């Protein structure tokens, strides 16, 4: 019998980006999602938690001009880059946090000690919560910022 991870399918829109300049203020990765995307990522975390060291790849939609205005970094004019895919993996080592600056795919590997924070952050997106980051406190490790969703409609 196959695990729920095998049957997980992405729903909704998920945007991930990082800024190419002035990394001191908003360094790391930035994530937002529509309601369906946030719920889909929450389901993925649940499935990955029961299958450590497995991974799934998520399709990324570049952030819209409207979404880039949410952090309002450099008045929304800062140069940014977005991958086409994000590979997500739960490590069996609880304190792991790895999110290098690589593109295509971007790769996030985290331990179970980060699951409560990730879960709360993703649950907050549909409720308009954001403007905070999580991840390792070490300077050489990229953090993950969360932002509320603004549709470009």
């Amino acid at each position: 019998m196959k695990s729920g991870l095998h049957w997980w399918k992405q729903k909704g829109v998920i945007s991930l980006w990082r800024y190419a300049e002035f990394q001191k203020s908003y360094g790391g990765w930035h994530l937002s999602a529509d309601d369906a995307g946030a719920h889909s990522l929450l389901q993925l975390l649940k499935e990955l938690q029961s299958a450590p060291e497995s991974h799934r790849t998520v399709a990324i939609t570049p952030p819209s001009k409207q979404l880039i205005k949410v952090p309002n970094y450099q008045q929304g004019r800062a140069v940014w880059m977005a991958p086409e895919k994000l590979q997500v993996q739960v490590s069996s080592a609880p304190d792991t946090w790895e999110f290098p600056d690589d593109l295509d795919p971007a790769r996030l590997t985290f331990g179970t000690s980060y699951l409560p924070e990730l879960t709360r952050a993703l649950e907050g997106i549909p409720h308009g919560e954001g403007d905070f980051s999580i991840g390792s406190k070490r300077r050489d490790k990229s953090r993950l910022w969360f932002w509320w969703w603004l549709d470009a409609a």
Side-chain angles (χ1 to χ4, degrees), residues 58-78:
V58 176
I60 298 298
T61 300
S64 65
K65 288 181 182 181
Q66 184 84 352
L67 182 55
I68 286 294
K69 290 180 183 177
V70 172
N72 205 30
Y73 185 45
Q74 298 289 316
Q75 292 76 44
R77 293 187 303 266

Side-chain angles (χ1 to χ4, degrees), residues 30-106:
H30 300 260
L31 183 133
S32 189
D34 66 4
D35 289 1
H39 292 303
S40 185
L41 284 174
L42 283 165
Q43 185 63 40
L44 176 59
L45 292 184
K46 180 180 171 185
E47 299 299 341
L48 283 169
Q49 184 176 3
S50 62
E53 304 302 332
S54 297
H55 73 273
R56 286 305 299 258
T57 301
V58 176
I60 298 298
T61 300
S64 65
K65 288 181 182 181
Q66 184 84 352
L67 182 55
I68 286 294
K69 290 180 183 177
V70 172
N72 205 30
Y73 185 45
Q74 298 289 316
Q75 292 76 44
R77 293 187 303 266
V79 177
W80 54 269
M81 316 174 220
E84 291 182 17
K85 297 177 183 175
L86 168 64
Q87 182 178 305
V88 183
Q89 178 176 353
V90 176
S91 171
S92 56
D95 294 327
T96 298
W97 181 268
E98 296 172 4
F99 207 163
D101 289 340
D102 300 339
L103 289 175
D104 294 325

Side-chain angles (χ1 to χ4, degrees), residues 71-150:
N72 205 30
Y73 185 45
Q74 298 289 316
Q75 292 76 44
R77 293 187 303 266
V79 177
W80 54 269
M81 316 174 220
E84 291 182 17
K85 297 177 183 175
L86 168 64
Q87 182 178 305
V88 183
Q89 178 176 353
V90 176
S91 171
S92 56
D95 294 327
T96 298
W97 181 268
E98 296 172 4
F99 207 163
D101 289 340
D102 300 339
L103 289 175
D104 294 325
R107 289 182 174 88
L108 170 61
T109 304
F110 59 91
T112 54
S113 67
Y114 289 99
L115 274 168
E117 280 183 290
L118 276 168
T119 299
R120 277 192 302 275
L122 290 169
E123 288 172 342
I125 290 173
H127 301 287
E129 297 173 12
D131 197 5
F132 63 90
S133 67
I134 65 172
S136 174
K137 303 285 189 234
R138 289 184 41 195
R139 285 190 166 271
D140 63 333
K141 300 289 184 181
S142 289
R143 295 182 60 80
L144 177 58
W145 288 83
F146 291 86
W147 302 100
W148 54 93
W149 182 257
L150 282 184

